[in-house]
Amino acid sequence: MKLIEFLNNNDRFAKLNGMQLTEVREGYARAEMTVTKDHLNGGGVCQGGALFTLADLAFAAVSNSHGLLTFGLENSIAFLKSAKEGDHLVAEAVETLNHHKIPFCEMKVRNQNGDLICTMTGLAFRKENQPMPSL
C-alpha cells in the first residue's frame, strides 16, 4: 500500500470530514475538500478547525514522505480569508527543512479562485526505525 492510500484510509477524522490527499511526493503533498454546510461555524463560514484539519492532513503526508513515522510537534495557523459553503479548498504542504529528526513544513490553503485562505507552519518529529508505507 502506498502512503497516499494509507493516510486516506486511516486518517478517519479527515475522511469523515470529506478531506483526501490527492498528491504526495517526497517533500510535497496536496489535500482537498469541498466546504459543505457541515463545515460551517455559527457565523456561516468554514470553521477554523476544518481548515486546520485540511492543512494538517497535507502536513502529515509531507512529513511522512521520507518513509519514517513522523508526528506533528507544533503548528501555527493564520486565517486570512473566510471560506464559504461550496468552496473547493486545496492545501499544499512543502517541506522547507528536511531535518533528519525535526522537519519544518509550510502549508497554504487556497480556494478554487486561488485566494489564500490560511497559512500554517509545522514542526514534526521523526521516529527512528518505524517505517511508513512508501510513496
Side-chain angles (χ1 to χ4, degrees):
M1 178 178 290
K2 299 287 186 190
L3 178 63
I4 192 169
E5 297 163 328
F6 177 82
L7 291 173
N8 277 334
N9 290 332
N10 292 298
D11 190 325
R12 292 178 281 287
F13 187 76
K15 188 175 184 177
L16 180 67
N17 283 283
M19 302 168 192
Q20 72 171 5
L21 291 161
T22 54
E23 184 178 352
V24 180
R25 60 182 190 266
E26 191 170 292
Y28 175 85
R30 184 177 65 230
E32 301 184 36
M33 68 173 275
T34 299
V35 179
T36 70
K37 66 180 179 178
D38 293 327
H39 296 115
L40 303 182
N41 64 19
V45 297
C46 188
Q47 211 269 351
L51 297 171
F52 182 94
T53 300
L54 181 64
D56 190 53
L57 179 61
F59 176 45
V62 74
S63 62
N64 280 282
S65 68
H66 297 282
L68 288 175
L69 180 61
T70 307
F71 293 104
L73 285 176
E74 178 184 335
N75 295 95
S76 178
I77 191 164
F79 301 106
L80 305 173
K81 184 174 181 170
S82 296
K84 299 175 177 35
E85 185 175 358
D87 280 351
H88 184 77
L89 304 180
V90 175
E92 291 185 292
V94 176
E95 189 174 59
T96 307
L97 176 65
N98 177 21
H99 187 272
H100 69 283
K101 282 297 233 180
I102 304 174
F104 179 80
C105 303
E106 297 176 274
M107 287 64 67
K108 293 182 180 179
V109 177
R110 297 181 186 275
N111 67 12
Q112 68 279 357
N113 300 318
D115 299 328
L116 187 59
I117 304 299
C118 64
T119 64
M120 187 167 92
T121 58
L123 283 172
F125 179 75
R126 285 203 174 108
K127 304 282 282 184
E128 289 183 28
N129 302 317
Q130 292 192 350
M132 285 292 284
S134 67
L135 294 174

